[in-house]
Amino acid sequence: MSRRPVCQARVNECAAVDGRPFNQAGHLSIAAAGASVRVRTIDENRGNDRIMNLDDAIKTHAEWKLKFRAAMSRKEQLDAPSIERDDCCMLGKWIHGEGKSQFARHGEFTEVRERHRDFHKHAGTVARHINAGRYEEAERMLENGTPYAIASRDVGVAVQRLKKLAA
């Protein structure tokens, strides 16, 4: 099977995306279409399409709180270095790649990029506390009004603003 790995955001260095190494995902072709961001995975032997829109990006980032709690209850280790990177998730790949070339001149895009970076910084901190077995501290980091909770809210608000621009 021949695949063309292409990405402008150094995402091949990311440990995993959707539970598998990024280089298995193939070539990413991303284009803004209305309020959606279409992510097309091209496998030269088989055509594979995956669709991601900005609402999915908001939902995926909001779900980290549940993932953290599940990891604490199961006493699982997380890939903190990948979690704290802002170019490993689908939104991050888009921000550092095609989104940058399409929307960099818009303040809404700059806000998404900054809020997304902040989110992953705080998410990485939570993951490191979980990995160290500091579950009570990690749980407190997820509470309302904490830097993590504020960053989570802010990335969602910023993506909603960008969605309006893209519509």
Side-chain angles (χ1 to χ4, degrees):
M1 178 185 318
S2 172
R3 292 181 183 231
R4 294 177 293 170
V6 175
C7 187
Q8 298 173 353
R10 295 178 37 194
V11 293
N12 288 327
E13 296 174 12
C14 298
V17 174
D18 299 329
R20 58 197 165 109
F22 174 75
N23 62 8
Q24 292 178 2
H27 172 85
L28 293 179
S29 173
I30 306 172
S36 296
V37 176
R38 180 175 175 81
V39 178
R40 185 168 185 214
T41 301
I42 301 170
D43 179 325
E44 292 175 357
N45 295 323
R46 302 174 284 153
N48 294 332
D49 281 348
R50 291 187 346 206
I51 305 297
M52 181 190 89
N53 65 35
L54 295 175
D55 289 328
D56 289 341
I58 294 168
K59 181 181 174 196
T60 299
H61 285 78
E63 289 171 349
W64 271 106
K65 192 174 195 177
L66 299 173
K67 291 177 187 178
F68 289 141
R69 288 197 168 124
M72 285 186 273
S73 71
R74 296 180 189 135
K75 300 194 180 345
E76 294 175 340
Q77 292 290 298
L78 299 168
D79 186 357
S82 290
I83 292 169
E84 69 188 357
R85 288 186 55 170
D86 71 341
D87 61 348
C88 287
C89 65
M90 294 305 290
L91 178 60
K93 291 178 208 162
W94 181 78
I95 288 169
H96 289 280
E98 199 64 31
K100 183 178 180 180
S101 66
Q102 292 178 1
F103 292 103
R105 69 182 187 278
H106 298 283
E108 293 88 347
F109 178 81
T110 301
E111 182 182 0
V112 167
R113 186 184 67 232
E114 291 171 359
R115 299 302 148 246
H116 185 252
R117 181 193 62 228
D118 292 345
F119 171 82
H120 280 279
K121 178 181 95 175
H122 293 295
T125 301
V126 173
R128 289 184 190 287
H129 277 72
I130 292 169
N131 289 348
R134 295 172 18 208
Y135 303 121
E136 289 179 19
E137 290 175 57
E139 184 62 43
R140 282 194 299 273
M141 293 172 136
L142 300 177
E143 293 175 359
N144 289 333
T146 63
Y148 170 84
I150 292 167
S152 182
R153 178 201 64 209
D154 288 353
V155 75
V157 169
V159 171
Q160 286 289 351
R161 289 181 182 143
L162 181 63
K163 182 178 160 184
K164 289 178 185 175
L165 175 72

